Amino acid sequence: MLLIERFDPHAATPDAWAAYHAFRRLRAAEDDPGDPILSDAEIEHTLCEHMPLWRNERHFAFDGATILGVAGI
């Protein structure tokens, strides 16, 4: 069953973070093979950083616990 839900980095569970990191590593390997991939800690810090003039919102399409796609603004 496909489920689409908003990803809130401030309230994300460890399972949600794990799914996100797995997805972003897969995408990075496809989009930019050979380029270094940022660590999980670096990504989590960046996504949780408060930036008053920037809106960073992501919606994930899940099939069970696996992210199939992401849409963001």
Side-chain angles (χ1 to χ4, degrees), residues 5-41:
E5 68 179 46
R6 182 178 176 271
F7 179 73
D8 179 357
H10 301 284
T13 65
D15 288 341
W17 276 114
Y20 175 66
H21 291 309
F23 178 78
R24 73 176 181 82
R25 280 189 214 98
L26 179 66
R27 284 295 311 270
E30 291 176 354
D31 293 345
D32 302 306
D35 281 0
I37 298 174
L38 294 175
S39 73
D40 294 354

Side-chain angles (χ1 to χ4, degrees), residues 9-70:
H10 301 284
T13 65
D15 288 341
W17 276 114
Y20 175 66
H21 291 309
F23 178 78
R24 73 176 181 82
R25 280 189 214 98
L26 179 66
R27 284 295 311 270
E30 291 176 354
D31 293 345
D32 302 306
D35 281 0
I37 298 174
L38 294 175
S39 73
D40 294 354
E42 289 172 301
I43 292 294
E44 290 182 27
H45 174 77
T46 299
L47 293 182
C48 289
E49 190 174 7
H50 178 68
M51 294 180 277
L53 300 178
W54 179 259
R55 181 176 176 180
N56 188 348
E57 190 170 310
R58 290 176 169 80
H59 290 79
F60 294 155
F62 284 95
D63 182 11
T66 303
I67 296 175
L68 301 178
V70 63

